[in-house]
Amino acid sequence: MNIKKAVSYLFVAVSFFGSMSVAHAYDQITLGRTILLEIGDHGAKIPLVVCRNTDAIKVKAERNLHLERIKVTFRNGETRNVSFHRDLKKNQETSWRKFSYKRCVKKLEVYGNSDGTRAGVKVYGRQKD
């Protein structure tokens, strides 16, 4: 094999690896946090000062609680109810619940009950780098 042939093979191999798409990592951002009471029929509101772009949400419990649903309000005024209907133990997280596409979240309302007097809840969003 001569040098010209080896250089051409090397050039083709390098151009092939350079054209492969790079995997995009997702960053987890905190959309907000609130406290759920033991008995509550009203949602715990999390108003966002700045509209946050995200394509999915998940919830982390800071204490034991029963999570019913989250009402998400978008910038254009549309709302979407994301149902969970599950018990979460301390420091347990739900799986990601995806939206159809990246949306600008303006307000969140968390519905559920704590096992004790109150339980903290964090709501996370996901966005691409």
Side-chain angles (χ1 to χ4, degrees), residues 53-110:
N53 286 318
T54 184
D55 67 343
I57 61 169
K58 78 175 178 179
V59 178
K60 180 178 181 181
E62 294 178 345
R63 289 191 184 170
N64 295 349
L65 61 93
H66 178 75
L67 182 65
E68 291 291 326
R69 64 187 167 98
I70 294 181
K71 182 178 178 182
V72 182
T73 305
F74 302 107
R75 178 177 30 195
N76 62 359
E78 288 182 24
T79 59
R80 178 174 176 194
N81 287 312
V82 181
S83 297
F84 290 95
H85 299 291
R86 61 184 297 191
D87 292 320
L88 295 174
K89 298 200 183 295
K90 183 178 181 180
N91 294 325
Q92 186 178 4
E93 296 180 349
T94 64
S95 59
W96 287 105
R97 299 293 173 101
K98 298 177 186 175
F99 302 138
S100 302
Y101 51 91
K102 188 181 278 191
R103 307 284 307 260
C104 192
V105 177
K106 191 68 177 165
K107 184 173 82 170
L108 300 164
E109 289 182 62
V110 182

Side-chain angles (χ1 to χ4, degrees), residues 111-122:
Y111 291 86
N113 298 315
S114 68
D115 285 349
T117 57
R118 60 183 178 201
V121 176
K122 281 186 182 177

Side-chain angles (χ1 to χ4, degrees), residues 20-69:
M20 291 178 58
S21 65
V22 178
H24 293 285
Y26 285 95
D27 280 340
Q28 178 174 298
I29 56 172
T30 303
L31 293 176
R33 56 191 322 184
T34 190
I35 295 174
L36 292 177
L37 301 176
E38 189 171 10
I39 299 172
D41 295 333
H42 303 290
K45 295 180 183 175
I46 305 174
L48 280 79
V49 177
V50 179
C51 192
R52 303 294 300 264
N53 286 318
T54 184
D55 67 343
I57 61 169
K58 78 175 178 179
V59 178
K60 180 178 181 181
E62 294 178 345
R63 289 191 184 170
N64 295 349
L65 61 93
H66 178 75
L67 182 65
E68 291 291 326
R69 64 187 167 98

